[in-house]
């Protein structure tokens, strides 16, 4: 598969390893097993015994080691074999590949490429998932789609007016594609697609959040940082209030390919208001979860159509495709460089949130 190998991908939420749990997950086509050592260190190993290829996750955890459930071989968090029942000599090849794994912003980040290239300083700043000025509602979706189509979907928010009418979409009369998008590119892999929707009807989810059913100003910036991070910066406020007072959401969409046709979708809706309102945290979780369930249905159908027709999409590019297509091109260029130049290392932009509040809307209101 044409995945960028030398990059950090999200492998799990950090709390998934709480309580001595062992998490098995296929990432970029490779079976991986993760655990937290009793001293706090975290480890990711290939989930395959070097003897007869049994998944280590199908065996058991013994202290800080994994024991294969077939012949009892044990491996430490570095992948070294510490016990081979029936013999004292341990062949050098009886070891398991380990992957760099780093905890940051409440997430576990894995490096599936060359181990000596892994540099934790290349992990982008997505602090909103775990930050005192933001509160997150978090979830996970397993999506049956090529991860590139999942990214397309997040960079094309025009679909909200048809797919997400029950939560975040305006209806057809004020449909989202009617409002132009300004696309900007920075560095080798960062794209912002910004759109402002002044004086529109509040969709149900935003009416609930604002406790306001009248008209609102809304902005949305779809952000993509290659290879696998998307973020939607959303701002909403009643038309008679100031943009600086906006209820703001930073919606993290952290996509990690599982296989060519399936994707892990870790998400978090971080908000800047009503931070200790647990009921709201739950309500946001429910609404976002429902919204992404709707995406999952569409994406699965699209994947199956792409396979059926053996054709790439979009077959014909429409205006809403500008940001998705430019995002694809950036990633394709990175993959090409990595493939052709063994010395190439991608250095992503680390700060992805430079979107300012909607100046155009603020200025328009000031001029009234
Ligand atoms: Fe969607």
């Amino acid at each position: 598969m044409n995945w960028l190998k030398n990059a950090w991908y999200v492998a799990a939420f950090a709390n998934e390893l709480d309580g001595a749990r062992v998490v098995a997950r296929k990432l970029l086509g490779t079976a991986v097993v993760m655990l937290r050592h009793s001293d706090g260190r975290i480890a990711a190993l290939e989930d395959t015994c070097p003897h007869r290829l049994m998944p280590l996750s199908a065996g058991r955890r013994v202290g800080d080691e994994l024991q294969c459930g077939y012949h009892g071989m044990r491996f430490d968090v570095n992948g070294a074999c510490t016990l081979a029942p029936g013999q004292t000599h341990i062949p050098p090849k009886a070891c398991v590949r380990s992957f760099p794994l780093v905890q940051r912003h409440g997430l576990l980040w894995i490096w599936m490429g060359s181990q000596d290239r892994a540099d934790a300083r290349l992990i982008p700043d997505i602090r909103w998932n775990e930050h005192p000025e933001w509160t997150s509602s978090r979830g996970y979706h397993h999506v049956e789609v090529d991860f590139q189509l999942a990214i397309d979907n997040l960079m094309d928010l025009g679909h909200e007016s048809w797919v997400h009418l029950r939560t975040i979409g305006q209806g057809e009369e004020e449909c989202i594609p009617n409002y132009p998008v300004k696309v900007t590119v920075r560095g080798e892999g960062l794209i912002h697609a910004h759109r402002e929707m002044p004086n529109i009807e509040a969709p149900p989810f935003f009416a609930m959040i604002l406790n306001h059913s009248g008209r609102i100003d809304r902005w949305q910036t779809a952000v993509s940082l290659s290879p696998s991070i998307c973020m939607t910066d959303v701002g909403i406020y009643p038309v008679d209030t100031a943009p600086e007072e906006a209820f703001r959401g930073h919606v993290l969409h952290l996509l990690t390919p599982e296989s060519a046709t399936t994707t892990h979708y870790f998400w978090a809706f971080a908000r800047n208001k009503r931070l200790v309102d647990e009921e709201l945290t739950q309500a946001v979780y429910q609404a976002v979860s429902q919204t992404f369930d709707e995406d999952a249905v569409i994406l699965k159908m699209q994947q199956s159509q792409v396979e059926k027709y053996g054709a790439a999409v979009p077959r014909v590019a429409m205006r809403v495709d500008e940001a998705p297509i430019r995002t694809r091109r950036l990633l394709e260029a990175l993959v090409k460089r990595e493939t052709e130049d063994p010395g190439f290392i991608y250095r992503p932009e680390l700060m992805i949130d430079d979107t300012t509040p909607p100046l155009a809307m603020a200025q328009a209101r000031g001029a009234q």
Side-chain angles (χ1 to χ4, degrees), residues 300-343:
K300 183 179 178 184
M301 236 187 294
Q302 189 176 186
Q303 177 68 38
S304 120
Q305 292 294 83
V306 166
E307 289 173 21
K308 180 174 161 190
Y309 290 97
V313 287
R315 245 186 192 172
V316 50
M318 309 302 284
R319 268 181 72 189
V320 292
D321 295 310
E322 182 190 351
I325 288 174
R326 291 178 74 174
T327 302
R328 270 176 184 253
R329 286 191 188 138
L330 288 184
L331 183 53
E332 281 163 12
L334 288 170
V335 171
K336 187 164 182 282
R337 284 187 72 186
E338 185 178 79
T339 309
E340 292 174 355
D341 176 5

Side-chain angles (χ1 to χ4, degrees), residues 40-68:
R41 273 182 296 158
I42 47 177
L45 303 177
E46 189 163 357
D47 192 12
T48 312
C49 179
H51 176 219
R52 284 181 173 269
L53 310 181
M54 293 297 284
L56 294 172
S57 59
R60 64 189 184 119
R61 177 176 181 152
V62 181
D64 286 328
E65 297 185 344
L66 293 176
Q67 180 169 46
C68 180

Side-chain angles (χ1 to χ4, degrees), residues 153-154 156-157 159-160 163-164 168 291-292 294-295:
N153 181 60
L154 291 161
D156 148 35
L157 298 176
H159 75 269
E160 290 175 354
V163 181
H164 304 307
I168 55 175
T291 304
F292 296 166
E294 291 164 347
D295 284 316

Side-chain angles (χ1 to χ4, degrees), residues 66-345:
L66 293 176
Q67 180 169 46
C68 180
Y70 197 6
H71 298 92
M73 289 170 71
R74 286 191 197 174
F75 302 90
D76 68 16
V77 288
N78 300 313
C81 180
T82 59
L83 177 75
Q87 62 189 79
T88 50
H89 172 67
I90 295 176
K93 284 188 177 169
C95 61
V96 179
R97 182 179 175 194
S98 72
F99 302 94
L101 189 71
V102 172
Q103 181 165 335
R104 184 83 54 86
H105 308 130
L107 298 154
L108 302 184
W109 300 79
I110 196 165
W111 183 276
M112 306 290 289
S114 310
Q115 196 158 349
D116 58 346
R117 300 286 188 85
D119 179 350
R121 289 171 300 183
L122 299 179
I123 296 176
D125 180 357
I126 54 163
R127 62 194 177 284
W128 312 285
N129 184 46
E130 204 178 54
H131 191 278
E133 290 169 18
W134 298 82
T135 294
S136 265
S137 304
R138 305 185 185 100
Y140 167 86
H141 277 62
H142 181 263
V143 194
E144 294 176 60
V145 73
D146 169 8
F147 102 122
Q148 186 62 66
L149 289 177
I151 294 174
D152 283 0
N153 181 60
L154 291 161
M155 294 307 287
D156 148 35
L157 298 176
H159 75 269
E160 290 175 354
S161 281
W162 288 270
V163 181
H164 304 307
L165 274 181
R166 290 186 297 169
T167 54
I168 55 175
Q170 265 93 22
E172 208 152 338
E173 278 185 14
E174 295 180 326
C175 74
I176 291 175
N178 281 348
Y179 300 87
V181 174
K182 184 170 174 238
V183 180
T184 50
V185 178
R186 203 168 75 218
E188 293 175 292
L190 182 62
I191 288 205
H192 289 93
H194 179 72
R195 169 187 276 133
E196 299 186 2
M197 293 166 271
N199 195 19
I200 52 159
E201 201 60 43
F205 175 47
F206 296 145
M208 181 273 287
I209 281 181
L210 292 175
N211 198 20
H212 168 88
S213 56
R215 297 185 77 79
I216 62 168
D217 287 346
R218 171 185 186 181
W219 83 83
Q220 61 181 189
T221 311
V223 183
S224 166
L225 178 68
S226 292
S228 65
I229 294 171
C230 291
M231 193 268 277
T232 317
D233 176 347
V234 53
I236 45 170
Y237 52 95
V239 286
D240 53 1
T241 58
E244 291 73 22
E245 299 300 312
F247 186 107
R248 211 159 172 184
H250 275 18
V251 197
L252 293 163
H253 318 270
L254 310 164
L255 303 161
T256 304
E258 178 186 56
S259 70
T261 56
T262 54
T263 299
H264 300 291
Y265 185 175
F266 305 90
W267 57 263
F269 186 114
R271 65 179 192 268
N272 71 337
K273 293 206 188 284
R274 295 165 65 188
L275 299 184
V276 291
D277 186 338
E278 183 53 35
E279 222 171 277
L280 181 61
T281 303
Q282 268 307 315
V284 169
Y285 170 80
Q286 292 298 342
V288 177
S289 209
Q290 176 189 342
T291 304
F292 296 166
D293 284 347
E294 291 164 347
D295 284 316
V297 170
I298 292 283
L299 290 172
K300 183 179 178 184
M301 236 187 294
Q302 189 176 186
Q303 177 68 38
S304 120
Q305 292 294 83
V306 166
E307 289 173 21
K308 180 174 161 190
Y309 290 97
V313 287
R315 245 186 192 172
V316 50
M318 309 302 284
R319 268 181 72 189
V320 292
D321 295 310
E322 182 190 351
I325 288 174
R326 291 178 74 174
T327 302
R328 270 176 184 253
R329 286 191 188 138
L330 288 184
L331 183 53
E332 281 163 12
L334 288 170
V335 171
K336 187 164 182 282
R337 284 187 72 186
E338 185 178 79
T339 309
E340 292 174 355
D341 176 5
F344 172 68
I345 190 82

